[in-house]
Amino acid sequence: MSSHAKAAAQFIKNTERTAWHDQALFFVRQKRDNVAKNIDEWEVLRTKASQIKEHTVSNLEHYLTTFEKNAKANGIQVHWASDADEHNKIVAEIIENHKAKKLVKSKSMLTEECELNHFLEENGTEVVETDLGERIMQFLKLPPSHIVLPAIHVKRQEVAEIFNKEIHTDANNSDPAYLTQAARMHLREKFIEADISMTGVNFAVAEEGAFVVCTNEGNADMGTSFANVHIASMGIEKLVPNYESLGIFTRLLARSATGQPITTYTAHYKKPAKGKEIHIILVDNNRTEILKDKDHSNMLKCIRCGACMNTCPVYRRTGGYSYSYFIPGPLGINLSMLKEPKKHSGNVSACSLCYSCSNVCPAKIDLAEQIYKWRQDLDKYGEADPMKKMVVKGMKKVMGSPGLFYAAIKSGRLINHMPRFMVYNGLNDWGKGREMPVIALKTFNEMWKKGEVRSNESSKNK
Amino acid sequence: MMKDLKNMKIGLFIPCYINAVYPNVGVASYKLLTSVGLDVDYPLDQTCCGQPMANGGFEKDSTKLAHRMDDLFEKYDYVVGPSASCVCFVKETYPRLLEKEEHECLSSKIYEICEFLHDIVKVNHIDSYFPHKVSIHNSCHGVRLMKLSSPSELNIPKYSKLHNLLSLVKGIEIYEPKRVDECCGFGGLFSIEEPETSTCMGEDKISDHMATTAEYITGADSSCLMHMEGVIKRKKLPIKTKHIVEILSASL
Ligand code: SF4
């Protein structure tokens, strides 16, 4: 059994939670459908987004240097990091230079990818996540289980408990308005005290040397308004050429992510205010390698909207933690294989090849097609399940010879169930929740041979 | 129907599951196609198109089967099969497996039977009576790869070839589940690699079909129906599965 299958079986045992998780996320998917269908040019927007990203990542060097030049001219300090380590060190250096102690952060999947929080905390910096969901996860000392809705798997009673412990709210009051208000008061202090504010970057605009951070809670804006130093971390694929192309992405992002027409806050950063500093760190961390991989370079088009997770029938029923990578769902399966195929091959089975993700993705990434390709590669990495390999070899032999095939069906009929090779040898696994198919008394082949099919020929139109 | 279609040779493609478990689906397909005046033949000793291995990650192991299929059907003008997912596999991967251009091999002339009746034969009359409530199972490969209906994710005009065909049946009441094209969890090797998830998806899908009050779940993919039938029998649920060709040919 793959690592995902094992963890999934565990998650699914709690049928009530599974149903609730599935429904909560499908609800988001439906909201997305509704707004997408209200825009006549939706499919055109997706095509354009895909083309713009294609163009930008194909000319990445040009756009990166253009961005750097323009950002510097605007007074933004630009740093380059080839990997997570370098990224973390750059952040630490900036903190050090300012003798800073307290840092507030808005949500950033890149800093998750670099495991920044852990690194900074070890170095004695207080790191406070200011996105409500992220803050909950930080209190729980767990990673997010979804890239847009990090605490989607946590019930409000559990939030009440952890808030009671951490910020002394009433443990029996799980009213969302009450809890949100308490979080707001708690975070307000943190915003005021912070020396440095960190954000991710949703889009960077090359021609303007500017960048955009999208949130629903306004926490990025709060952070950067108070602290004098703003550090923004960005993967090098986040570039778009100009404001015109940016408009396409801001129309797609929130609609795809949560079904809102636009994120509540779309903050544009172009130059530091008087007496303040803006640093931007451009991070590679394997991205140029992905760019060279023609089967998977499309992954660089991702705008991290999370729509592929919300629509994935497997993710919805198995939760974020059943995947071995910090990003779950169709996106995570692909990114994890690009990162460390040996370590993460256990996620590749988490797909029924329904192709919904490929249809929902605003950047038209061929997510399911790529998962199919990874499956073909597992054997190459020595990671194909030996049981599965054996099944397939057996199938190949039986299916390759009509003699063997029909003999196997015959013997299956005698013992009144499917020959093992037709349910992939998985008698036990098939039988876990399903009855075995029953073999017919005669195969179609036999019926045809005996002339029993042709006697049915309709003569009506002859 | 186009005149020259009557002079065409149609090869009937019967996938392994249908051959062994649902031969009546094969018979129904034959009846349906001959009822519209087509010349239909079944090349003997068919086995499998190779999809199960490929979806499990062993596409290369399907090459021999692809050659076999390509040879078996060489002499036919059209090849028609009652399984969206198998047909789609042949269409999409055979050129790659056989190292041939699409027009040189089976891929260019193979059709899923509903697609064939709807788009090529363009049937507008079917002599069938089926006085029951049915819920359409829009299978993933049928919808998103074979384009038998408009996928729920896309903002394109709504259509459904299965619905159009079923509407020609007398006495029928047609429904669709709320999550109109959500996966039933079969997915080939997925069904045994992730049995808990697969079964959970199956149960959810069947509940959704049952909520329509339908007596039958019907669709163009026997493998999905087989998986759901397994769950229905295990849980003794009050709904049945029936391949769409059996409904379309109910009075033939
Ligand atoms: S892969 Fe596509 S759908 Fe998934 S998060 Fe990225 S942009 Fe969104």
Side-chain angles (χ1 to χ4, degrees):
Chain A
M1 249 188 158
S2 72
S3 64
H4 178 271
K6 274 188 213 146
Q10 214 45 42
F11 188 86
I12 285 178
K13 268 192 191 148
N14 186 340
T15 47
E16 198 191 320
R17 182 177 289 230
T18 301
W20 164 72
H21 193 265
D22 166 58
Q23 280 154 18
L25 287 158
F26 196 79
F27 177 69
V28 183
R29 148 87 207 270
Q30 278 175 314
K31 276 173 68 190
R32 171 256 171 225
D33 288 355
N34 292 342
V35 295
K37 278 165 194 173
N38 273 331
I39 300 214
D40 291 343
E41 65 275 28
W42 183 256
E43 299 304 330
V44 179
L45 287 178
R46 288 177 69 227
T47 305
K48 288 223 153 104
S50 181
Q51 289 167 341
I52 293 168
K53 280 283 176 185
E54 179 98 43
H55 167 81
T56 318
V57 296
S58 309
N59 298 281
L60 199 53
E61 196 184 333
H62 163 73
Y63 283 112
L64 279 170
T65 46
T66 309
F67 175 77
E68 182 185 33
K69 190 181 93 216
N70 294 332
K72 278 182 172 165
N74 293 338
I76 295 176
Q77 302 183 42
V78 181
H79 309 259
W80 297 86
S82 63
D83 57 22
D85 255 11
E86 269 186 40
H87 166 265
N88 294 352
K89 279 183 192 141
I90 293 168
V91 177
E93 241 176 65
I94 301 171
I95 294 175
E96 171 84 37
N97 290 344
H98 290 86
K99 307 256 170 309
K101 288 269 169 297
K102 296 181 174 189
L103 185 145
V104 287
K105 269 182 80 207
S106 71
K107 207 161 78 58
S108 147
M109 290 321 285
L110 177 60
T111 57
E112 286 292 334
E113 181 183 323
C114 297
E115 295 176 29
L116 176 74
N117 290 13
H118 181 70
F119 173 84
L120 290 182
E121 279 158 2
E122 286 214 323
N123 287 321
T125 308
E126 182 195 70
V127 182
V128 174
E129 292 288 351
T130 59
D131 172 274
L132 179 56
E134 286 283 352
R135 187 64 176 150
I136 294 169
M137 297 321 297
Q138 199 180 22
F139 282 151
L140 290 168
K141 298 192 173 53
L142 286 169
S145 77
H146 184 291
I147 64 169
V148 173
L149 311 159
I152 183 71
H153 62 295
V154 183
K155 291 204 157 180
R156 60 192 169 103
Q157 290 77 7
E158 295 168 293
V159 177
E161 269 167 47
I162 190 76
F163 273 22
N164 166 260
K165 215 172 112 203
E166 297 285 345
I167 55 174
H168 315 297
T169 52
D170 173 0
N172 297 317
N173 192 345
S174 62
D175 173 43
Y178 167 72
L179 292 172
T180 313
Q181 181 58 18
R184 202 170 270 148
M185 298 318 291
H186 157 73
L187 286 172
R188 187 132 313 179
E189 268 171 43
K190 299 291 176 190
F191 282 125
I192 294 169
E193 290 166 3
D195 309 305
I196 293 186
S197 165
M198 268 196 90
T199 68
V201 171
N202 289 94
F203 308 101
V205 187
E207 276 177 18
E208 306 291 335
F211 62 95
V212 174
V213 182
C214 305
T215 69
N216 268 336
E217 296 166 18
N219 52 319
D221 315 57
M222 277 289 268
T224 56
S225 309
F226 281 109
N228 282 333
V229 183
H230 173 187
I231 308 173
S233 297
M234 130 182 186
I236 50 175
E237 82 285 14
K238 292 284 175 200
L239 277 170
V240 296
N242 47 33
Y243 276 146
E244 210 182 336
S245 43
L246 175 69
I248 292 181
F249 291 95
T250 46
R251 292 186 74 192
L252 285 167
L253 178 63
R255 287 187 170 91
S256 301
T258 53
Q260 299 162 264
I262 192 153
T263 42
T264 317
Y265 298 87
T266 302
H268 291 248
Y269 296 95
K270 193 164 181 175
K271 60 165 61 132
K274 250 208 179 104
K276 290 195 167 198
E277 285 175 24
I278 299 180
H279 297 257
I280 188 157
I281 313 175
L282 301 164
V283 187
D284 183 334
N285 208 28
N286 207 38
R287 285 161 177 75
T288 45
E289 285 305 309
I290 298 178
L291 188 53
K292 286 185 227 156
D293 184 337
K294 67 171 186 353
D295 280 345
H296 299 288
S297 60
N298 273 342
M299 292 317 300
L300 294 176
K301 297 179 179 175
C302 175
I303 60 171
R304 300 290 191 272
C305 71
C308 55
M309 279 152 222
N310 305 339
T311 202
C312 177
V314 176
Y315 170 79
R316 270 188 266 117
R317 290 177 181 81
T318 61
Y321 297 153
S322 63
Y323 301 75
S324 65
Y325 195 52
F326 78 103
I327 298 180
L331 169 66
I333 296 175
N334 282 299
L335 289 180
S336 67
M337 286 303 283
L338 285 163
K339 191 96 192 168
E340 259 182 285
K342 268 190 162 302
K343 184 169 170 195
H344 298 299
S345 62
N347 297 329
V348 174
S349 64
C351 170
S352 60
L353 287 177
C354 79
Y355 292 85
S356 183
C357 49
S358 303
N359 273 351
V360 92
C361 176
K364 283 190 132 173
I365 301 176
D366 50 347
L367 292 149
E369 289 84 344
Q370 291 190 51
I371 296 174
Y372 179 88
K373 284 184 188 153
W374 286 120
R375 290 200 179 154
Q376 310 306 323
D377 289 343
L378 282 184
D379 211 19
K380 191 172 84 197
Y381 295 114
E383 291 298 323
D385 179 352
M387 185 277 282
K388 192 166 91 177
K389 241 170 122 168
M390 202 186 73
V391 173
V392 168
K393 297 291 165 202
M395 262 187 186
K396 183 182 167 188
K397 194 166 155 226
V398 177
M399 301 294 200
S401 143
L404 284 178
F405 176 73
Y406 289 102
I409 292 174
K410 218 173 194 166
S411 60
R413 190 182 297 137
L414 284 178
I415 48 172
N416 198 24
H417 62 58
M418 289 285 279
R420 295 171 71 94
F421 72 91
M422 285 189 78
V423 279
Y424 313 103
N425 252 21
L427 285 185
N428 296 331
D429 288 324
W430 179 275
K432 272 182 183 159
R434 286 161 292 215
E435 292 302 311
M436 293 291 281
V438 178
I439 300 232
L441 288 173
K442 272 184 207 159
T443 61
F444 183 81
N445 208 60
E446 287 169 78
M447 292 176 82
W448 184 273
K449 272 191 190 163
K450 295 199 168 127
E452 292 167 11
V453 180
R454 272 163 293 181
S455 64
N456 283 302
E457 182 166 354
S458 163
S459 51
K460 280 182 190 152
N461 294 333
K462 285 229 150 168
Chain B
M1 186 172 70
M2 281 152 53
K3 269 236 166 71
D4 49 348
L5 258 183
K6 298 209 181 208
N7 302 321
M8 298 277 182
K9 284 189 93 54
I10 315 291
L12 189 56
F13 161 44
I14 300 296
C16 53
Y17 291 98
I18 294 180
N19 220 322
V21 185
Y22 303 111
N24 286 337
V25 171
V27 176
S29 305
Y30 181 79
K31 281 192 206 170
L32 249 183
L33 292 169
T34 51
S35 78
V36 293
L38 295 169
D39 177 10
V40 184
D41 186 27
Y42 167 78
L44 274 176
D45 289 343
Q46 296 180 32
T47 59
C48 167
C49 65
Q51 179 181 214
M53 293 90 133
N55 281 358
F58 295 86
E59 188 181 285
K60 291 244 153 53
D61 286 295
S62 317
T63 312
K64 214 177 113 192
L65 292 172
H67 279 287
R68 196 165 181 273
M69 284 275 289
D70 200 41
D71 293 344
L72 270 177
F73 287 107
E74 209 194 328
K75 63 176 185 199
Y76 299 98
D77 300 304
Y78 288 104
V79 176
V80 179
S83 165
S85 156
C86 306
V87 167
C88 172
F89 176 73
V90 172
K91 240 183 159 40
E92 305 240 311
T93 60
Y94 274 26
R96 183 161 75 228
L97 291 174
L98 300 168
E99 295 175 12
K100 283 183 177 178
E101 292 296 320
E102 194 187 323
H103 68 270
E104 297 170 332
C105 69
L106 179 53
S107 301
S108 59
K109 59 182 184 187
I110 192 164
Y111 289 84
E112 186 282 320
I113 190 162
C114 294
E115 175 192 33
F116 187 73
L117 290 169
H118 191 277
D119 297 352
I120 305 293
V121 182
K122 300 191 170 44
V123 290
N124 47 27
H125 172 81
I126 286 177
D127 201 0
S128 174
Y129 176 64
F130 192 75
H132 298 283
K133 295 178 175 182
V134 305
S135 177
I136 301 181
H137 185 68
N138 294 301
S139 69
C140 300
H141 291 187
V143 173
R144 299 191 186 85
L145 299 177
M146 297 294 293
K147 315 219 177 313
L148 293 178
S149 63
S150 44
S152 57
E153 300 89 3
L154 299 184
N155 186 0
I156 59 172
K158 253 189 127 158
Y159 69 90
S160 165
K161 296 179 188 179
L162 301 193
H163 198 288
N164 292 350
L165 289 174
L166 285 170
S167 311
L168 301 173
V169 174
K170 281 175 221 69
I172 199 165
E173 277 181 55
I174 309 168
Y175 298 86
E176 284 190 315
K178 263 212 186 93
R179 295 187 186 181
V180 70
D181 51 15
E182 166 109 324
C183 180
C184 68
F186 174 63
L189 267 176
F190 174 79
S191 63
I192 61 146
E193 273 197 281
E194 302 246 352
E196 288 81 6
T197 312
S198 168
T199 307
C200 175
M201 286 162 70
E203 289 169 0
D204 289 354
K205 186 74 203 192
I206 295 162
S207 312
D208 209 0
H209 279 300
M210 289 193 345
T212 65
T213 70
E215 301 153 74
Y216 292 93
I217 302 173
T218 189
D221 255 303
S222 308
S223 46
C224 305
L225 297 177
M226 180 177 86
H227 158 73
M228 286 188 284
E229 193 186 12
V231 176
I232 289 170
K233 283 190 181 162
R234 171 65 54 92
K235 299 207 112 185
K236 303 197 173 35
L237 299 171
I239 194 162
K240 288 177 278 236
T241 58
K242 211 173 200 30
H243 195 288
I244 187 166
V245 293
E246 295 181 279
I247 294 176
L248 298 176
S249 66
S251 310
L252 295 173

PDB file of all heavy atoms in Angstrom, chain A residues 147 299 301-309 331 357 360-363 365 367, ligand 1:
ATOM      1  N   ILE A 147      -3.635  24.938   0.842  1.00  0.00           N
ATOM      2  CA  ILE A 147      -2.786  26.109   0.601  1.00  0.00           C
ATOM      3  C   ILE A 147      -3.518  27.444   0.736  1.00  0.00           C
ATOM      4  O   ILE A 147      -2.896  28.472   0.965  1.00  0.00           O
ATOM      5  CB  ILE A 147      -2.060  26.037  -0.773  1.00  0.00           C
ATOM      6  CG1 ILE A 147      -3.054  26.052  -1.937  1.00  0.00           C
ATOM      7  CG2 ILE A 147      -1.148  24.823  -0.859  1.00  0.00           C
ATOM      8  CD1 ILE A 147      -2.373  26.250  -3.286  1.00  0.00           C
ATOM      9  N   MET A 299       4.056  23.276 -14.441  1.00  0.00           N
ATOM     10  CA  MET A 299       3.798  23.519 -13.021  1.00  0.00           C
ATOM     11  C   MET A 299       4.175  24.945 -12.629  1.00  0.00           C
ATOM     12  O   MET A 299       3.651  25.488 -11.661  1.00  0.00           O
ATOM     13  CB  MET A 299       4.563  22.522 -12.140  1.00  0.00           C
ATOM     14  CG  MET A 299       4.106  21.082 -12.231  1.00  0.00           C
ATOM     15  SD  MET A 299       2.332  20.820 -12.257  1.00  0.00           S
ATOM     16  CE  MET A 299       1.859  21.543 -10.712  1.00  0.00           C
ATOM     17  N   LYS A 301       3.339  27.509 -13.994  1.00  0.00           N
ATOM     18  CA  LYS A 301       2.242  28.449 -14.266  1.00  0.00           C
ATOM     19  C   LYS A 301       1.314  28.618 -13.068  1.00  0.00           C
ATOM     20  O   LYS A 301       0.404  29.432 -13.091  1.00  0.00           O
ATOM     21  CB  LYS A 301       1.400  27.927 -15.439  1.00  0.00           C
ATOM     22  CG  LYS A 301       2.148  27.839 -16.747  1.00  0.00           C
ATOM     23  CD  LYS A 301       1.208  27.289 -17.818  1.00  0.00           C
ATOM     24  CE  LYS A 301       1.930  27.205 -19.146  1.00  0.00           C
ATOM     25  NZ  LYS A 301       1.064  26.570 -20.167  1.00  0.00           N
ATOM     26  N   CYS A 302       1.527  27.825 -12.056  1.00  0.00           N
ATOM     27  CA  CYS A 302       0.589  27.777 -10.924  1.00  0.00           C
ATOM     28  C   CYS A 302       0.504  29.109 -10.191  1.00  0.00           C
ATOM     29  O   CYS A 302       1.515  29.733  -9.900  1.00  0.00           O
ATOM     30  CB  CYS A 302       1.024  26.678  -9.960  1.00  0.00           C
ATOM     31  SG  CYS A 302       0.029  26.630  -8.465  1.00  0.00           S
ATOM     32  N   ILE A 303      -0.716  29.560  -9.896  1.00  0.00           N
ATOM     33  CA  ILE A 303      -0.894  30.790  -9.121  1.00  0.00           C
ATOM     34  C   ILE A 303      -1.377  30.477  -7.696  1.00  0.00           C
ATOM     35  O   ILE A 303      -1.861  31.350  -6.990  1.00  0.00           O
ATOM     36  CB  ILE A 303      -1.836  31.793  -9.826  1.00  0.00           C
ATOM     37  CG1 ILE A 303      -3.230  31.199 -10.041  1.00  0.00           C
ATOM     38  CG2 ILE A 303      -1.233  32.261 -11.148  1.00  0.00           C
ATOM     39  CD1 ILE A 303      -4.268  32.220 -10.537  1.00  0.00           C
ATOM     40  N   ARG A 304      -1.254  29.223  -7.296  1.00  0.00           N
ATOM     41  CA  ARG A 304      -1.559  28.788  -5.922  1.00  0.00           C
ATOM     42  C   ARG A 304      -2.973  29.194  -5.468  1.00  0.00           C
ATOM     43  O   ARG A 304      -3.156  29.735  -4.382  1.00  0.00           O
ATOM     44  CB  ARG A 304      -0.528  29.382  -4.933  1.00  0.00           C
ATOM     45  CG  ARG A 304       0.924  28.987  -5.176  1.00  0.00           C
ATOM     46  CD  ARG A 304       1.196  27.531  -4.861  1.00  0.00           C
ATOM     47  NE  ARG A 304       2.626  27.201  -4.854  1.00  0.00           N
ATOM     48  CZ  ARG A 304       3.346  26.832  -5.917  1.00  0.00           C
ATOM     49  NH1 ARG A 304       2.771  26.751  -7.112  1.00  0.00           N
ATOM     50  NH2 ARG A 304       4.627  26.533  -5.800  1.00  0.00           N
ATOM     51  N   CYS A 305      -3.942  28.893  -6.323  1.00  0.00           N
ATOM     52  CA  CYS A 305      -5.312  29.271  -5.969  1.00  0.00           C
ATOM     53  C   CYS A 305      -6.001  28.175  -5.160  1.00  0.00           C
ATOM     54  O   CYS A 305      -6.998  28.416  -4.492  1.00  0.00           O
ATOM     55  CB  CYS A 305      -6.125  29.565  -7.229  1.00  0.00           C
ATOM     56  SG  CYS A 305      -6.495  28.089  -8.191  1.00  0.00           S
ATOM     57  N   GLY A 306      -5.494  26.948  -5.269  1.00  0.00           N
ATOM     58  CA  GLY A 306      -6.072  25.849  -4.492  1.00  0.00           C
ATOM     59  C   GLY A 306      -7.305  25.215  -5.121  1.00  0.00           C
ATOM     60  O   GLY A 306      -7.875  24.275  -4.559  1.00  0.00           O
ATOM     61  N   ALA A 307      -7.719  25.685  -6.293  1.00  0.00           N
ATOM     62  CA  ALA A 307      -8.938  25.129  -6.912  1.00  0.00           C
ATOM     63  C   ALA A 307      -8.802  23.639  -7.200  1.00  0.00           C
ATOM     64  O   ALA A 307      -9.763  22.885  -7.099  1.00  0.00           O
ATOM     65  CB  ALA A 307      -9.263  25.883  -8.201  1.00  0.00           C
ATOM     66  N   CYS A 308      -7.582  23.226  -7.544  1.00  0.00           N
ATOM     67  CA  CYS A 308      -7.400  21.807  -7.877  1.00  0.00           C
ATOM     68  C   CYS A 308      -7.599  20.937  -6.638  1.00  0.00           C
ATOM     69  O   CYS A 308      -8.001  19.774  -6.749  1.00  0.00           O
ATOM     70  CB  CYS A 308      -6.026  21.570  -8.507  1.00  0.00           C
ATOM     71  SG  CYS A 308      -4.622  22.142  -7.551  1.00  0.00           S
ATOM     72  N   MET A 309      -7.314  21.494  -5.453  1.00  0.00           N
ATOM     73  CA  MET A 309      -7.568  20.729  -4.227  1.00  0.00           C
ATOM     74  C   MET A 309      -9.063  20.635  -3.955  1.00  0.00           C
ATOM     75  O   MET A 309      -9.584  19.575  -3.623  1.00  0.00           O
ATOM     76  CB  MET A 309      -6.909  21.436  -3.045  1.00  0.00           C
ATOM     77  CG  MET A 309      -5.452  21.129  -2.951  1.00  0.00           C
ATOM     78  SD  MET A 309      -4.540  22.445  -2.182  1.00  0.00           S
ATOM     79  CE  MET A 309      -3.151  22.417  -3.293  1.00  0.00           C
ATOM     80  N   LEU A 331      -1.895  19.439  -7.182  1.00  0.00           N
ATOM     81  CA  LEU A 331      -0.715  20.299  -7.241  1.00  0.00           C
ATOM     82  C   LEU A 331       0.431  19.689  -6.448  1.00  0.00           C
ATOM     83  O   LEU A 331       1.570  19.607  -6.909  1.00  0.00           O
ATOM     84  CB  LEU A 331      -1.068  21.690  -6.678  1.00  0.00           C
ATOM     85  CG  LEU A 331       0.104  22.639  -6.426  1.00  0.00           C
ATOM     86  CD1 LEU A 331       0.775  23.037  -7.721  1.00  0.00           C
ATOM     87  CD2 LEU A 331      -0.376  23.892  -5.672  1.00  0.00           C
ATOM     88  N   CYS A 357      -9.237  18.358 -12.039  1.00  0.00           N
ATOM     89  CA  CYS A 357      -8.242  19.393 -11.705  1.00  0.00           C
ATOM     90  C   CYS A 357      -7.770  20.131 -12.952  1.00  0.00           C
ATOM     91  O   CYS A 357      -7.630  21.350 -12.957  1.00  0.00           O
ATOM     92  CB  CYS A 357      -7.060  18.787 -10.960  1.00  0.00           C
ATOM     93  SG  CYS A 357      -6.351  17.323 -11.729  1.00  0.00           S
ATOM     94  N   VAL A 360     -10.336  22.645 -13.989  1.00  0.00           N
ATOM     95  CA  VAL A 360     -10.658  23.725 -13.078  1.00  0.00           C
ATOM     96  C   VAL A 360      -9.493  24.735 -12.986  1.00  0.00           C
ATOM     97  O   VAL A 360      -9.685  25.893 -12.641  1.00  0.00           O
ATOM     98  CB  VAL A 360     -11.032  23.110 -11.708  1.00  0.00           C
ATOM     99  CG1 VAL A 360      -9.851  22.998 -10.778  1.00  0.00           C
ATOM    100  CG2 VAL A 360     -12.164  23.822 -11.056  1.00  0.00           C
ATOM    101  N   CYS A 361      -8.309  24.305 -13.311  1.00  0.00           N
ATOM    102  CA  CYS A 361      -7.112  25.146 -13.104  1.00  0.00           C
ATOM    103  C   CYS A 361      -7.166  26.412 -13.949  1.00  0.00           C
ATOM    104  O   CYS A 361      -7.301  26.354 -15.160  1.00  0.00           O
ATOM    105  CB  CYS A 361      -5.850  24.357 -13.453  1.00  0.00           C
ATOM    106  SG  CYS A 361      -4.360  25.364 -13.338  1.00  0.00           S
ATOM    107  N   PRO A 362      -7.042  27.588 -13.297  1.00  0.00           N
ATOM    108  CA  PRO A 362      -7.133  28.848 -14.038  1.00  0.00           C
ATOM    109  C   PRO A 362      -5.958  29.048 -14.991  1.00  0.00           C
ATOM    110  O   PRO A 362      -6.057  29.845 -15.924  1.00  0.00           O
ATOM    111  CB  PRO A 362      -7.126  29.908 -12.936  1.00  0.00           C
ATOM    112  CG  PRO A 362      -6.468  29.248 -11.770  1.00  0.00           C
ATOM    113  CD  PRO A 362      -6.853  27.800 -11.863  1.00  0.00           C
ATOM    114  N   ALA A 363      -4.851  28.336 -14.749  1.00  0.00           N
ATOM    115  CA  ALA A 363      -3.704  28.492 -15.645  1.00  0.00           C
ATOM    116  C   ALA A 363      -3.625  27.327 -16.628  1.00  0.00           C
ATOM    117  O   ALA A 363      -2.636  27.160 -17.337  1.00  0.00           O
ATOM    118  CB  ALA A 363      -2.416  28.600 -14.828  1.00  0.00           C
ATOM    119  N   ILE A 365      -3.190  24.170 -16.249  1.00  0.00           N
ATOM    120  CA  ILE A 365      -2.099  23.209 -16.069  1.00  0.00           C
ATOM    121  C   ILE A 365      -2.663  21.798 -16.238  1.00  0.00           C
ATOM    122  O   ILE A 365      -3.730  21.486 -15.708  1.00  0.00           O
ATOM    123  CB  ILE A 365      -1.448  23.373 -14.681  1.00  0.00           C
ATOM    124  CG1 ILE A 365      -0.903  24.796 -14.531  1.00  0.00           C
ATOM    125  CG2 ILE A 365      -0.329  22.348 -14.484  1.00  0.00           C
ATOM    126  CD1 ILE A 365      -0.330  25.104 -13.163  1.00  0.00           C
ATOM    127  N   LEU A 367      -2.664  18.991 -14.914  1.00  0.00           N
ATOM    128  CA  LEU A 367      -2.285  18.314 -13.663  1.00  0.00           C
ATOM    129  C   LEU A 367      -2.470  16.797 -13.732  1.00  0.00           C
ATOM    130  O   LEU A 367      -1.574  16.036 -13.370  1.00  0.00           O
ATOM    131  CB  LEU A 367      -3.128  18.875 -12.514  1.00  0.00           C
ATOM    132  CG  LEU A 367      -2.817  20.324 -12.146  1.00  0.00           C
ATOM    133  CD1 LEU A 367      -4.061  21.022 -11.630  1.00  0.00           C
ATOM    134  CD2 LEU A 367      -1.697  20.395 -11.137  1.00  0.00           C
TER     135      LEU A 367
HETATM  136  S1  SF4 C   1      -2.322  24.022 -10.137  1.00  0.00           S
HETATM  137 FE1  SF4 C   1      -3.871  25.393 -10.998  1.00  0.00          FE
HETATM  138  S2  SF4 C   1      -5.706  24.982  -9.777  1.00  0.00           S
HETATM  139 FE2  SF4 C   1      -3.982  24.114  -8.615  1.00  0.00          FE
HETATM  140  S3  SF4 C   1      -3.356  25.754  -7.227  1.00  0.00           S
HETATM  141 FE3  SF4 C   1      -2.109  25.973  -9.077  1.00  0.00          FE
HETATM  142  S4  SF4 C   1      -3.229  27.434 -10.362  1.00  0.00           S
HETATM  143 FE4  SF4 C   1      -4.664  26.718  -8.807  1.00  0.00          FE
END
